[in-house]
Amino acid sequence: MSRIGNAARNIGKLDELARRDTWLNRIHPLPKLLVTVLYLVLVVSFSPRQLTGVLGMAIYPFILFEFGDLSFTSALYRMRIILPVVCLVGVLNPIFDREPALTIFGVTVTGGVLTMLSLMVKGVLTVLATYLLIATTTVESVCGALRMLHIPGILVTEFLLICRYVSVLLSEADRMWQAYSMRAPGQRGVAAGAWGSMIGRLLLRSMDRAKALYQSMCLRGFRENSTLLPVKGLESKDLFYFASFTTTLILLRIFPVLELIGRLFV
Amino acid sequence: MSHIHIDISGLSFEYEKGHPVLDSISVSFHEHDSVGIIGANAAGKSTFLKLLVGLEMPPQGSIRIEEIPVEKNTLSKIREKIGYVFQDSDTQLFMTTVQDDVAFAPRNYGLPEDEVARRVARALDLVHIPHLAGKPIYKLSGGEKKLASIATILSMTPDIILMDEPSAALDPKNRRSLIHVLNEFDHLRIITSHDLDFIWDTCSRVVLIDAGRIIADGIPDVILRDETLLTAHGLELPLSLSER
Ligand SMILES: Nc1ncnc2c1ncn2[C@@H]1O[C@H](COP(=O)(O)OP(=O)(O)OP(=O)(O)O)[C@@H](O)[C@H]1O
Ligand SMILES: [Mg+2]
């Protein structure tokens, strides 16, 4: 199985996850979107040395993975490309900042290590939160929620189409790769001489297909500022979800929970 | 009640300058016509269908659908009346599951959800694929994709059906049920194909085009039996007729 084909199927898998019928999937997309955005903002807002504070924010993904019927390991597996990248962000900090910041069990931790760790944790948590949103909410309903927030229809359409075209691009690349490897048996990767024309063809083909897809949407009544994305009304469970998570998250941001718990034992 | 018909006069089209694909075509189709457009590869069949729904705009000539001219500002009105099945199903289907794709048009036309569900169920029934409803598009076989594409336009309950090579990719059983679906539909339908047996089974009128011109227009019994005419334009007698 080619890696490109894998990527295409991965997107398909995520979409299938998002279409399941669990309580979390049934929560209205708007509160889920807003809670996710709030979470991202709060996590990023911690100062670089507030490691314990950031760690406390892990409670949110923990709760959703635990009760949302989602597998944590397969989430890690799907995010295996992006997570290391995110973790690399602060990797040089320990070199630049060697001031001792605190001592745990006799080991001195420098400020650099502390900021590195908190950047890593922030990165991982934001990726997980985004994953949780897309694994429980379809692209169409995220778009519906954006429309409810009065984001201009043309922008939402753009977003929707980009999401569709990414899979078109991947599946087109997969087809070309298959056709290529059938005629270049035993070869690893694409020969240097063929790259140029392959990329060119890929762009032309995916543009053609994207155009045809768009035409097919228009033939079935799609309009640029279509407000008809299926959005239902908010129910009390949606409001409850929104209220409970926003209060929890804000409390977590204000009170360093882990520190408080830690103090109980000291 | 409006009378469904299509009037085309002096229609010419070219993708590239100096290479006409359609050359001053004039023809009319009427309410209960079941028209087969036949012709060899690259004769201009698909292009002809695309012009009817305004996917390409003709520089010359006019197309009127139920008296409405096909122009930029009438397109949405015209497209509501027409169901178009692409030659390549991969371009037709764009939602994640079969069900969502079939529901796309009725939802876009603002129908209430229970009516949408009714139409989806009926469309899937007609092409015998209710079991595929929840299946992701990328897991379908070629023939299943074709049937799903056809269902996506049946759920629109169109006045006019245009199908580009619908029988390609179908096994004999599904081909037969498609013939049945088409014969049940009693409004105007226009089908392109080089599967002349399929045309024989579904059409009451045949239009032969070659190099962008209409060569012959008549009942299947005359055109599809005319071996000299067919071979002169790159086609062959339908199997079911040549065996006799
Ligand atoms: N997008 C395009 N750009 C340029 N030329 C095109 C394009 N689409 C089709 N053509 C050309 O127009 C001519 C008619 O093509 P068309 O697709 O209408 O043929 P067809 O009768 O449907 O053939 P087939 O039976 O193979 O489907 C062909 O010569 C083709 O090369
Ligand atoms: Mg064609």
Side-chain angles (χ1 to χ4, degrees), chain B residues 163-201:
Chain B
M163 288 196 186
D164 202 352
E165 309 275 355
S167 65
L170 294 186
D171 65 22
K173 184 164 149 278
N174 283 326
R175 187 171 169 281
R176 200 148 356 97
S177 58
L178 177 59
I179 291 174
H180 186 72
V181 170
L182 283 171
N183 290 338
E184 290 279 282
F185 184 82
D186 71 354
H187 296 308
L188 175 55
R189 65 227 101 130
I190 304 177
I191 300 151
T192 76
S193 188
H194 14 226
D195 177 353
L196 298 191
D197 287 279
F198 185 79
I199 297 289
W200 175 258
D201 286 330

Short mmCIF file of all heavy atoms in Angstrom, two decimals, chain B residues 163-201:
data_model
loop_
_atom_site.label_atom_id
_atom_site.label_comp_id
_atom_site.label_asym_id
_atom_site.label_seq_id
_atom_site.Cartn_x
_atom_site.Cartn_y
_atom_site.Cartn_z
N MET B 163 -27.72 11.15 -19.41
CA MET B 163 -26.75 10.19 -18.89
C MET B 163 -25.66 9.96 -19.92
O MET B 163 -25.92 9.65 -21.07
CB MET B 163 -27.43 8.86 -18.59
CG MET B 163 -28.34 8.91 -17.39
SD MET B 163 -28.72 7.23 -16.86
CE MET B 163 -29.92 7.60 -15.59
N ASP B 164 -24.42 10.11 -19.45
CA ASP B 164 -23.27 9.94 -20.32
C ASP B 164 -22.69 8.55 -20.07
O ASP B 164 -22.13 8.30 -19.00
CB ASP B 164 -22.25 11.05 -20.00
CG ASP B 164 -21.30 11.28 -21.15
OD1 ASP B 164 -21.35 10.50 -22.11
OD2 ASP B 164 -20.52 12.25 -21.08
N GLU B 165 -22.85 7.67 -21.02
CA GLU B 165 -22.34 6.29 -20.91
C GLU B 165 -22.77 5.60 -19.62
O GLU B 165 -21.91 5.11 -18.88
CB GLU B 165 -20.80 6.28 -20.93
CG GLU B 165 -20.17 7.06 -22.06
CD GLU B 165 -20.06 6.24 -23.32
OE1 GLU B 165 -20.38 5.04 -23.29
OE2 GLU B 165 -19.69 6.82 -24.35
N PRO B 166 -24.06 5.53 -19.35
CA PRO B 166 -24.46 4.97 -18.05
C PRO B 166 -24.17 3.48 -17.92
O PRO B 166 -23.98 2.99 -16.82
CB PRO B 166 -25.96 5.24 -17.99
CG PRO B 166 -26.39 5.33 -19.41
CD PRO B 166 -25.22 5.91 -20.16
N SER B 167 -24.14 2.74 -19.03
CA SER B 167 -24.04 1.29 -18.89
C SER B 167 -22.60 0.82 -18.73
O SER B 167 -22.36 -0.32 -18.34
CB SER B 167 -24.68 0.59 -20.09
OG SER B 167 -23.95 0.89 -21.25
N ALA B 168 -21.63 1.70 -19.02
CA ALA B 168 -20.24 1.29 -18.85
C ALA B 168 -20.05 0.93 -17.37
O ALA B 168 -20.60 1.57 -16.51
CB ALA B 168 -19.30 2.42 -19.24
N ALA B 169 -19.28 -0.10 -17.08
CA ALA B 169 -18.96 -0.51 -15.71
C ALA B 169 -20.05 -1.33 -15.02
O ALA B 169 -19.85 -1.79 -13.91
CB ALA B 169 -18.62 0.67 -14.80
N LEU B 170 -21.20 -1.53 -15.67
CA LEU B 170 -22.24 -2.30 -14.99
C LEU B 170 -22.23 -3.77 -15.43
O LEU B 170 -22.01 -4.08 -16.60
CB LEU B 170 -23.62 -1.71 -15.30
CG LEU B 170 -23.86 -0.31 -14.74
CD1 LEU B 170 -25.30 0.10 -14.99
CD2 LEU B 170 -23.55 -0.28 -13.25
N ASP B 171 -22.49 -4.66 -14.46
CA ASP B 171 -22.58 -6.08 -14.81
C ASP B 171 -23.97 -6.34 -15.42
O ASP B 171 -24.85 -5.48 -15.35
CB ASP B 171 -22.28 -6.96 -13.59
CG ASP B 171 -23.32 -6.82 -12.50
OD1 ASP B 171 -24.45 -6.39 -12.79
OD2 ASP B 171 -23.00 -7.12 -11.34
N PRO B 172 -24.16 -7.51 -16.05
CA PRO B 172 -25.42 -7.73 -16.78
C PRO B 172 -26.66 -7.48 -15.95
O PRO B 172 -27.63 -6.89 -16.43
CB PRO B 172 -25.32 -9.19 -17.20
CG PRO B 172 -23.87 -9.47 -17.26
CD PRO B 172 -23.23 -8.62 -16.20
N LYS B 173 -26.62 -7.89 -14.67
CA LYS B 173 -27.82 -7.74 -13.86
C LYS B 173 -28.13 -6.27 -13.58
O LYS B 173 -29.25 -5.80 -13.75
CB LYS B 173 -27.63 -8.50 -12.54
CG LYS B 173 -28.83 -8.49 -11.66
CD LYS B 173 -28.71 -9.56 -10.58
CE LYS B 173 -29.43 -9.13 -9.33
NZ LYS B 173 -28.63 -8.24 -8.48
N ASN B 174 -27.10 -5.53 -13.20
CA ASN B 174 -27.31 -4.10 -12.92
C ASN B 174 -27.62 -3.33 -14.19
O ASN B 174 -28.34 -2.34 -14.17
CB ASN B 174 -26.09 -3.51 -12.23
CG ASN B 174 -26.05 -3.90 -10.77
OD1 ASN B 174 -27.10 -4.01 -10.14
ND2 ASN B 174 -24.86 -4.12 -10.24
N ARG B 175 -27.05 -3.80 -15.29
CA ARG B 175 -27.33 -3.16 -16.57
C ARG B 175 -28.83 -3.32 -16.87
O ARG B 175 -29.50 -2.38 -17.26
CB ARG B 175 -26.50 -3.87 -17.63
CG ARG B 175 -26.53 -3.25 -18.99
CD ARG B 175 -25.48 -3.95 -19.86
NE ARG B 175 -25.62 -3.60 -21.26
CZ ARG B 175 -26.52 -4.13 -22.05
NH1 ARG B 175 -27.37 -5.02 -21.58
NH2 ARG B 175 -26.59 -3.76 -23.32
N ARG B 176 -29.33 -4.51 -16.62
CA ARG B 176 -30.75 -4.76 -16.87
C ARG B 176 -31.62 -3.91 -15.94
O ARG B 176 -32.62 -3.35 -16.37
CB ARG B 176 -31.07 -6.25 -16.69
CG ARG B 176 -32.34 -6.65 -17.37
CD ARG B 176 -32.36 -8.10 -17.92
NE ARG B 176 -31.13 -8.86 -17.79
CZ ARG B 176 -30.89 -9.72 -16.79
NH1 ARG B 176 -31.75 -9.90 -15.84
NH2 ARG B 176 -29.75 -10.39 -16.76
N SER B 177 -31.20 -3.77 -14.68
CA SER B 177 -32.06 -2.96 -13.81
C SER B 177 -31.99 -1.48 -14.17
O SER B 177 -32.98 -0.76 -14.02
CB SER B 177 -31.78 -3.22 -12.34
OG SER B 177 -30.46 -2.95 -12.03
N LEU B 178 -30.85 -1.05 -14.71
CA LEU B 178 -30.78 0.34 -15.18
C LEU B 178 -31.72 0.55 -16.37
O LEU B 178 -32.42 1.56 -16.48
CB LEU B 178 -29.35 0.72 -15.55
CG LEU B 178 -29.18 2.13 -16.11
CD1 LEU B 178 -29.67 3.17 -15.11
CD2 LEU B 178 -27.73 2.40 -16.47
N ILE B 179 -31.74 -0.45 -17.27
CA ILE B 179 -32.66 -0.38 -18.41
C ILE B 179 -34.08 -0.23 -17.90
O ILE B 179 -34.86 0.60 -18.38
CB ILE B 179 -32.53 -1.66 -19.28
CG1 ILE B 179 -31.17 -1.65 -19.98
CG2 ILE B 179 -33.66 -1.75 -20.30
CD1 ILE B 179 -30.85 -2.92 -20.75
N HIS B 180 -34.38 -0.99 -16.86
CA HIS B 180 -35.71 -0.94 -16.28
C HIS B 180 -36.01 0.45 -15.71
O HIS B 180 -37.07 1.02 -15.97
CB HIS B 180 -35.81 -2.01 -15.19
CG HIS B 180 -37.17 -2.14 -14.61
ND1 HIS B 180 -38.21 -2.71 -15.32
CD2 HIS B 180 -37.67 -1.76 -13.42
CE1 HIS B 180 -39.30 -2.67 -14.57
NE2 HIS B 180 -39.00 -2.10 -13.41
N VAL B 181 -35.04 1.00 -14.96
CA VAL B 181 -35.23 2.34 -14.38
C VAL B 181 -35.50 3.36 -15.48
O VAL B 181 -36.41 4.19 -15.39
CB VAL B 181 -33.97 2.78 -13.58
CG1 VAL B 181 -34.05 4.25 -13.19
CG2 VAL B 181 -33.80 1.92 -12.36
N LEU B 182 -34.69 3.28 -16.54
CA LEU B 182 -34.84 4.26 -17.62
C LEU B 182 -36.19 4.10 -18.33
O LEU B 182 -36.83 5.08 -18.69
CB LEU B 182 -33.71 4.11 -18.63
CG LEU B 182 -32.39 4.71 -18.16
CD1 LEU B 182 -31.26 4.35 -19.10
CD2 LEU B 182 -32.52 6.22 -18.06
N ASN B 183 -36.62 2.86 -18.49
CA ASN B 183 -37.89 2.66 -19.18
C ASN B 183 -39.09 3.06 -18.33
O ASN B 183 -40.14 3.39 -18.85
CB ASN B 183 -38.01 1.21 -19.66
CG ASN B 183 -37.05 0.92 -20.81
OD1 ASN B 183 -36.62 1.84 -21.50
ND2 ASN B 183 -36.71 -0.34 -21.00
N GLU B 184 -38.91 3.04 -17.01
CA GLU B 184 -39.97 3.48 -16.11
C GLU B 184 -40.13 5.00 -16.13
O GLU B 184 -41.21 5.53 -15.92
CB GLU B 184 -39.64 3.09 -14.66
CG GLU B 184 -39.71 1.62 -14.38
CD GLU B 184 -41.12 1.16 -14.15
OE1 GLU B 184 -41.63 1.40 -13.03
OE2 GLU B 184 -41.72 0.59 -15.09
N PHE B 185 -39.00 5.68 -16.36
CA PHE B 185 -39.00 7.15 -16.33
C PHE B 185 -39.68 7.64 -17.60
O PHE B 185 -39.20 7.37 -18.68
CB PHE B 185 -37.54 7.63 -16.29
CG PHE B 185 -37.38 9.11 -16.15
CD1 PHE B 185 -37.46 9.71 -14.92
CD2 PHE B 185 -37.13 9.91 -17.27
CE1 PHE B 185 -37.30 11.07 -14.77
CE2 PHE B 185 -36.98 11.28 -17.13
CZ PHE B 185 -37.06 11.86 -15.89
N ASP B 186 -40.81 8.35 -17.46
CA ASP B 186 -41.49 8.62 -18.73
C ASP B 186 -41.37 10.05 -19.22
O ASP B 186 -42.08 10.48 -20.10
CB ASP B 186 -42.94 8.13 -18.69
CG ASP B 186 -43.80 8.99 -17.80
OD1 ASP B 186 -43.23 9.88 -17.13
OD2 ASP B 186 -45.00 8.79 -17.76
N HIS B 187 -40.43 10.80 -18.64
CA HIS B 187 -40.14 12.10 -19.22
C HIS B 187 -39.00 11.97 -20.22
O HIS B 187 -38.51 10.88 -20.46
CB HIS B 187 -39.74 13.10 -18.14
CG HIS B 187 -40.82 13.37 -17.15
ND1 HIS B 187 -42.08 13.73 -17.53
CD2 HIS B 187 -40.83 13.32 -15.80
CE1 HIS B 187 -42.82 13.90 -16.44
NE2 HIS B 187 -42.08 13.64 -15.38
N LEU B 188 -38.54 13.13 -20.67
CA LEU B 188 -37.45 13.15 -21.64
C LEU B 188 -36.14 12.62 -21.04
O LEU B 188 -35.74 13.02 -19.94
CB LEU B 188 -37.25 14.60 -22.10
CG LEU B 188 -36.08 14.88 -23.04
CD1 LEU B 188 -36.14 13.99 -24.26
CD2 LEU B 188 -36.09 16.34 -23.43
N ARG B 189 -35.52 11.69 -21.71
CA ARG B 189 -34.20 11.25 -21.28
C ARG B 189 -33.28 11.15 -22.49
O ARG B 189 -33.71 10.75 -23.57
CB ARG B 189 -34.29 9.92 -20.51
CG ARG B 189 -34.73 8.72 -21.29
CD ARG B 189 -35.81 7.96 -20.50
NE ARG B 189 -37.11 8.31 -21.05
CZ ARG B 189 -38.03 7.41 -21.40
NH1 ARG B 189 -37.84 6.14 -21.20
NH2 ARG B 189 -39.18 7.79 -21.95
N ILE B 190 -32.05 11.59 -22.29
CA ILE B 190 -31.08 11.56 -23.38
C ILE B 190 -29.87 10.78 -22.88
O ILE B 190 -29.31 11.09 -21.83
CB ILE B 190 -30.65 12.98 -23.80
CG1 ILE B 190 -31.89 13.80 -24.18
CG2 ILE B 190 -29.66 12.94 -24.95
CD1 ILE B 190 -31.60 15.25 -24.54
N ILE B 191 -29.52 9.75 -23.64
CA ILE B 191 -28.46 8.84 -23.18
C ILE B 191 -27.40 8.76 -24.27
O ILE B 191 -27.73 8.56 -25.43
CB ILE B 191 -29.05 7.43 -22.97
CG1 ILE B 191 -30.15 7.49 -21.91
CG2 ILE B 191 -27.97 6.46 -22.56
CD1 ILE B 191 -31.20 6.44 -22.12
N THR B 192 -26.14 8.96 -23.89
CA THR B 192 -25.10 8.72 -24.89
C THR B 192 -24.48 7.37 -24.60
O THR B 192 -24.39 6.97 -23.44
CB THR B 192 -23.95 9.75 -24.81
OG1 THR B 192 -23.14 9.43 -23.69
CG2 THR B 192 -24.47 11.16 -24.67
N SER B 193 -24.08 6.69 -25.66
CA SER B 193 -23.45 5.40 -25.45
C SER B 193 -22.89 4.87 -26.75
O SER B 193 -23.36 5.21 -27.82
CB SER B 193 -24.48 4.41 -24.89
OG SER B 193 -23.84 3.23 -24.51
N HIS B 194 -21.85 4.03 -26.64
CA HIS B 194 -21.54 3.24 -27.82
C HIS B 194 -21.94 1.79 -27.58
O HIS B 194 -21.66 0.93 -28.36
CB HIS B 194 -20.09 3.32 -28.31
CG HIS B 194 -19.14 3.92 -27.35
ND1 HIS B 194 -18.22 4.84 -27.69
CD2 HIS B 194 -18.99 3.75 -26.04
CE1 HIS B 194 -17.53 5.20 -26.64
NE2 HIS B 194 -17.99 4.55 -25.62
N ASP B 195 -22.62 1.56 -26.48
CA ASP B 195 -23.22 0.25 -26.21
C ASP B 195 -24.58 0.25 -26.92
O ASP B 195 -25.60 0.61 -26.35
CB ASP B 195 -23.38 0.10 -24.69
CG ASP B 195 -24.05 -1.20 -24.30
OD1 ASP B 195 -24.52 -1.93 -25.19
OD2 ASP B 195 -24.12 -1.47 -23.09
N LEU B 196 -24.56 -0.14 -28.19
CA LEU B 196 -25.77 0.02 -29.00
C LEU B 196 -26.89 -0.92 -28.55
O LEU B 196 -28.06 -0.64 -28.76
CB LEU B 196 -25.46 -0.16 -30.48
CG LEU B 196 -24.48 0.86 -31.05
CD1 LEU B 196 -24.44 0.78 -32.57
CD2 LEU B 196 -24.82 2.29 -30.63
N ASP B 197 -26.51 -2.02 -27.91
CA ASP B 197 -27.56 -2.91 -27.37
C ASP B 197 -28.33 -2.20 -26.27
O ASP B 197 -29.54 -2.34 -26.16
CB ASP B 197 -26.93 -4.19 -26.82
CG ASP B 197 -26.45 -5.09 -27.94
OD1 ASP B 197 -27.27 -5.80 -28.52
OD2 ASP B 197 -25.24 -5.04 -28.25
N PHE B 198 -27.59 -1.43 -25.47
CA PHE B 198 -28.24 -0.69 -24.40
C PHE B 198 -29.18 0.36 -24.99
O PHE B 198 -30.32 0.52 -24.54
CB PHE B 198 -27.15 -0.02 -23.54
CG PHE B 198 -27.67 0.67 -22.33
CD1 PHE B 198 -28.00 -0.05 -21.20
CD2 PHE B 198 -27.84 2.05 -22.31
CE1 PHE B 198 -28.49 0.59 -20.07
CE2 PHE B 198 -28.32 2.69 -21.20
CZ PHE B 198 -28.65 1.95 -20.07
N ILE B 199 -28.73 1.03 -26.03
CA ILE B 199 -29.56 2.03 -26.72
C ILE B 199 -30.80 1.35 -27.29
O ILE B 199 -31.92 1.84 -27.17
CB ILE B 199 -28.75 2.70 -27.85
CG1 ILE B 199 -27.55 3.45 -27.28
CG2 ILE B 199 -29.63 3.63 -28.66
CD1 ILE B 199 -27.88 4.70 -26.52
N TRP B 200 -30.58 0.19 -27.88
CA TRP B 200 -31.69 -0.57 -28.46
C TRP B 200 -32.75 -0.88 -27.41
O TRP B 200 -33.95 -0.80 -27.66
CB TRP B 200 -31.13 -1.87 -29.07
CG TRP B 200 -32.14 -2.82 -29.61
CD1 TRP B 200 -32.59 -3.95 -29.02
CD2 TRP B 200 -32.84 -2.72 -30.87
NE1 TRP B 200 -33.52 -4.57 -29.80
CE2 TRP B 200 -33.69 -3.83 -30.95
CE3 TRP B 200 -32.82 -1.78 -31.92
CZ2 TRP B 200 -34.53 -4.05 -32.04
CZ3 TRP B 200 -33.65 -2.01 -33.00
CH2 TRP B 200 -34.49 -3.13 -33.06
N ASP B 201 -32.31 -1.20 -26.21
CA ASP B 201 -33.25 -1.58 -25.14
C ASP B 201 -33.90 -0.39 -24.46
O ASP B 201 -34.88 -0.55 -23.75
CB ASP B 201 -32.51 -2.39 -24.06
CG ASP B 201 -32.21 -3.80 -24.54
OD1 ASP B 201 -32.99 -4.31 -25.36
OD2 ASP B 201 -31.20 -4.37 -24.10
#
